[in-house]
C-alpha cells in the first residue's frame, strides 16, 4: 500500500508530518511577506489615499496585516487561482494610480484589485518581480551551493533539522527563480497588438490545462484588446 500523505509541498509536509522529500522539491510553495504600504514612487495624494484605504480595510476586517502593513501570501509557480489572484490583486493595488477614493473602492475591494488596465497589470508584474528578486538576494547561500550540498551528500536526512532546512530552502529558491523567469516571460506580451498576441497564444500559450497559459489567453489578451479599443476611440476623437 502506498500513501503519499496528500503531499502538497515540503513546507506543508514538514509542518504537518515532520519530514521532507528531496524528490518532491518541484512541488514547493512558500510564504511570501511584504509591506503592502510600501507603495512604489514618490509621495503623492494617491499614496495617502491608498494608505488610508489600507487602514480602513483593516478596521472593517477585510484585510489582515501587521501594524507596519506587512501581509502574508503564499507564492507558487502560478498566475491564476485564489492564492495568486489575491497576491496579484495586492500588486495591482500597490502600483495603482486611482483618481479618487470611489474609483479605488470599486476596483479594489478590501485592497485586492482585479485586472485594472494594461499598464497597471504590467507594472504589477514588474513590482512582483522586484519583490521576488529582493527576497532571492536575501539568502546567504546560492541555489547552486544548495544543490551541491544535496547532490554530493554533504548533508543527509540523518542530520534532521539541518537536512529539512536545506531541502525547504532549496525548494524556496526554485520557486523564486521560476517565478522571476515566468514574470519576465510575460512582459514582452504587453507590447503586442491583439493580432500579434493572438498568433503567439496560438503557437505558445494554447494549453487549456495550464493556468499560466490561461493567464495569457484571458488576462493579457483581454487587457490588450481593451487598450486597443481605448486607443482607437482616442484617435476618432
Amino acid at each position: 500500500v502506498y500513501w503519499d500523505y496528500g503531499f502538497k509541498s515540503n513546507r506543508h509536509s514538514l509542518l504537518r508530518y515532520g519530514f521532507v522529500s528531496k524528490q518532491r522539491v518541484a512541488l514547493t510553495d512558500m510564504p511570501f511577506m511584504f509591506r503592502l504600504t510600501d507603495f512604489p514612487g514618490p509621495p503623492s495624494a494617491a499614496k495617502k489615499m491608498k494608505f488610508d484605504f489600507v487602514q480602513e480595510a483593516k478596521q472593517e476586517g477585510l484585510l489582515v496585516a501587521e501594524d507596519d502593513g506587512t501581509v502574508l501570501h503564499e507564492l507558487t509557480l502560478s498566475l491564476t487561482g485564489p492564492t495568486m489572484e489575491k497576491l496579484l490583486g495586492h500588486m495591482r493595488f500597490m502600483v495603482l494610480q486611482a483618481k479618487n477614493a470611489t474609483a479605488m473602492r470599486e476596483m479594489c475591494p478590501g485592497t485586492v484589485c482585479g485586472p485594472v488596465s494594461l499598464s497597471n497589470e504590467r507594472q504589477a508584474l514588474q513590482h512582483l518581480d522586484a519583490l521576488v528578486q529582493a527576497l532571492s538576494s536575501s539568502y546567504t547561500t546560492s541555489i547552486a551551493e544548495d544543490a551541491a550540498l544535496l547532490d554530493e551528500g554533504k548533508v543527509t536526512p540523518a542530520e534532521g533539522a539541518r537536512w529539512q532546512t536545506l531541502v525547504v530552502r532549496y525548494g524556496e529558491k526554485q520557486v523564486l527563480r521560476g517565478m522571476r523567469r515566468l514574470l519576465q516571460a510575460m512582459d514582452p506580451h504587453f507590447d503586442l497588438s491583439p493580432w500579434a498576441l493572438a498568433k503567439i497564444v496560438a503557437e505558445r500559450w494554447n494549453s487549456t490545462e495550464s493556468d499560466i497559459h490561461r493567464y495569457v489567453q484571458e488576462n493579457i489578451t483581454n487587457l490588450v484588446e481593451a487598450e486597443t479599443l481605448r486607443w482607437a476611440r482616442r484617435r476618432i476623437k
Side-chain angles (χ1 to χ4, degrees):
V1 177
Y2 174 76
W3 181 42
D4 71 352
Y5 293 83
F7 199 98
K8 182 179 179 183
S9 71
N10 275 314
R11 178 170 65 93
H12 284 277
S13 175
L14 180 60
L15 290 172
R16 186 166 185 177
Y17 302 112
F19 75 90
V20 297
S21 170
K22 177 184 172 183
Q23 287 69 37
R24 300 297 187 93
V25 164
L27 297 175
T28 299
D29 53 31
M30 64 180 292
F32 188 64
M33 293 182 289
F34 55 89
R35 289 208 299 180
L36 183 62
T37 49
D38 277 350
F39 308 121
S44 66
K47 277 190 175 184
K48 174 64 167 58
M49 185 170 58
K50 287 194 289 186
F51 182 82
D52 291 342
F53 189 46
V54 167
Q55 303 309 312
E56 179 183 307
K58 287 175 62 178
Q59 292 172 2
E60 294 177 356
L62 300 174
L63 172 68
V64 177
E66 299 294 334
D67 291 341
D68 66 353
T70 297
V71 292
L72 172 64
H73 286 271
E74 189 172 273
L75 188 67
T76 63
L77 288 178
S78 173
L79 288 174
T80 60
T83 297
M84 283 305 296
E85 269 302 313
K86 188 173 181 181
L87 174 55
L88 287 180
H90 272 164
M91 293 297 109
R92 294 168 185 139
F93 176 73
M94 292 181 76
V95 301
L96 181 69
Q97 296 296 322
K99 294 181 180 180
N100 55 65
T102 300
M104 183 172 61
R105 287 185 175 88
E106 290 176 354
M107 291 185 290
C108 309
T111 71
V112 178
C113 308
V116 175
S117 68
L118 189 65
S119 61
N120 175 269
E121 192 77 1
R122 188 177 206 174
Q123 291 171 30
L125 296 189
Q126 290 173 341
H127 189 57
L128 178 56
D129 184 39
L131 293 178
V132 169
Q133 181 183 24
L135 181 55
S136 298
S137 300
S138 70
Y139 288 92
T140 57
T141 58
S142 69
I143 193 169
E145 290 170 333
D146 284 353
L149 290 174
L150 288 169
D151 294 340
E152 296 170 13
K154 294 179 180 179
V155 180
T156 68
E159 295 180 69
R162 188 181 178 210
W163 165 260
Q164 294 164 350
T165 300
L166 173 61
V167 172
V168 170
R169 185 179 70 207
Y170 180 59
E172 290 177 349
K173 292 175 184 177
Q174 293 276 29
V175 170
L176 293 171
R177 182 173 67 177
M179 179 56 70
R180 291 211 68 206
R181 289 175 173 172
L182 174 58
L183 293 171
Q184 290 166 10
M186 294 295 104
D187 193 72
H189 298 76
F190 290 91
D191 291 322
L192 299 177
S193 69
W195 306 277
L197 179 59
K199 181 180 179 182
I200 286 186
V201 167
E203 294 172 351
R204 293 184 53 195
W205 307 101
N206 52 26
S207 172
T208 58
E209 304 295 327
S210 167
D211 62 343
I212 296 170
H213 285 228
R214 287 198 301 272
Y215 176 81
V216 180
Q217 295 166 7
E218 298 172 8
N219 290 48
I220 295 183
T221 296
N222 291 340
L223 291 168
V224 166
E225 291 176 350
E227 183 62 27
T228 301
L229 286 174
R230 279 193 289 268
W231 177 86
R233 292 192 187 105
R234 288 195 298 267
R235 292 277 295 184
I236 292 172
K237 292 180 180 179

